[in-house]
């Protein structure tokens, strides 16, 4: 197994485990948006691995519809997790940009354009990452668009993430989680910019997006654990006999 495959499967295991951990909490109604974002991440990471992509795409007809599902999953990931992160960072304006009317308009336009560009391509044989079809203008534009939307969400969140991480008065666990999320967002931005500008990134085209998934999941886990601990502490305070409002 080479380094690219190792980090791909590593990212899949990390996000799948955290998704399963969040499932009981989501059933209880505790931040289900985070669970669905993680579930979409699991699907997206799985479909980015050739040994999973090829049989799934063959089952779908062998014309790269699995890549279209990967794109939809990616958009869902960044929208849902982006909204959850904005709430955790107490950035209502950023949350509005992501999940409010402006953000939903951007998301709808992105999904529509992605679908149209995909339908205009000629891709009769499965090709992971569509690497065999990048000479087609419509497919190249489709691939660029698939990186622009995550970069847009990352750009919206990166300043709030590092601002929370740098705030001395905030709890340590929240600051660590926010810093990890900020690093993951920086990786996403770097990967998107390098790819769109045509830079030859080699193995980094696998390392940057998949390591960002691992770092982002660790950051979300830290922030989620902080939220659970803070909620439990508040419940204990309310039950204390000497508690005064």
């Amino acid at each position: 197994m080479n380094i690219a495959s190792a980090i791909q499967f590593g990212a899949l295991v990390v996000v799948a485990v955290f998704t399963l951990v969040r499932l009981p909490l989501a059933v209880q109604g505790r931040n289900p948006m985070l669970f669905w974002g993680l579930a979409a991440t699991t699907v997206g990471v799985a479909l980015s691995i050739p040994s999973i992509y090829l049989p799934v795409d063959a089952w779908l007809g062998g014309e790269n519809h699995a890549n279209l599902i990967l794109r939809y999953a990616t958009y869902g990931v960044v929208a849902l997790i982006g909204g959850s992160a904005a709430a955790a960072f107490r950035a209502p304006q950023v949350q509005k940009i992501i999940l409010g009317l402006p953000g939903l308009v951007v998301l709808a336009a992105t999904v529509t354009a992605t679908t149209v560009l995909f339908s205009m391509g000629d891709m009769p044989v499965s090709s992971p990452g569509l690497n065999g079809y990048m000479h087609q203008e419509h497919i190249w534009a489709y691939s660029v668009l698939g990186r622009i939307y995550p970069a847009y969400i990352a750009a919206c969140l990166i300043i709030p993430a590092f601002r929370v991480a740098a705030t001395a008065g905030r709890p340590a666990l929240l600051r660590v989680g926010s810093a990890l999320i900020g690093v993951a967002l920086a990786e996403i931005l770097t990967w998107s910019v390098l790819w769109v500008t045509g830079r030859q990134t080699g193995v980094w085209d696998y390392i940057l997006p998949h390591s960002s998934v691992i770092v982002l999941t660790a950051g979300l886990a830290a922030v989620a654990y902080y939220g659970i601990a803070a909620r439990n502490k508040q419940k204990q305070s309310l039950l204390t006999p000497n508690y005064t409002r």
Side-chain angles (χ1 to χ4, degrees), residues 179-201:
L180 289 171
I181 292 172
V183 170
L185 296 173
E187 287 188 281
I188 292 170
L189 279 172
T190 301
W191 171 67
S192 298
V193 170
L194 288 175
W195 199 93
V196 171
T197 55
R199 298 294 181 90
Q200 297 298 317
T201 54

Side-chain angles (χ1 to χ4, degrees), residues 64-218:
N64 294 289
H65 287 93
N67 192 277
L68 186 61
I69 294 173
L70 170 59
R71 288 285 180 267
Y72 293 155
T74 300
Y75 299 154
V77 167
V78 294
L80 293 171
I81 291 182
S84 293
F89 298 149
R90 297 180 186 173
Q93 291 303 319
V94 173
Q95 189 177 27
K96 192 173 183 179
I97 290 174
I98 296 173
L99 293 178
L101 182 59
L104 293 178
V105 169
V106 172
L107 178 58
T110 302
V111 169
T112 301
T114 296
T115 306
V116 170
L117 288 169
F118 180 87
S119 66
M120 295 173 71
D122 180 21
M123 299 173 288
V125 179
S126 295
S127 175
L130 303 185
N131 294 322
Y133 300 106
M134 286 300 159
H135 60 282
Q136 297 183 34
E137 292 183 1
H138 296 122
I139 300 307
W140 184 84
Y142 164 88
S143 297
V144 169
L145 188 61
R147 288 160 175 79
I148 288 177
Y149 184 72
Y152 160 74
I153 300 298
C156 291
L157 286 170
I158 194 166
I159 291 177
F162 282 123
R163 183 174 61 228
V164 171
T167 303
R170 305 300 289 274
L173 191 58
L174 178 60
R175 293 179 64 189
V176 169
S178 299
L180 289 171
I181 292 172
V183 170
L185 296 173
E187 287 188 281
I188 292 170
L189 279 172
T190 301
W191 171 67
S192 298
V193 170
L194 288 175
W195 199 93
V196 171
T197 55
R199 298 294 181 90
Q200 297 298 317
T201 54
V203 71
W204 288 99
D205 195 41
Y206 298 94
I207 293 176
L208 282 173
H210 290 89
S211 65
S212 72
V213 170
I214 295 173
V215 176
L216 178 64
T217 302

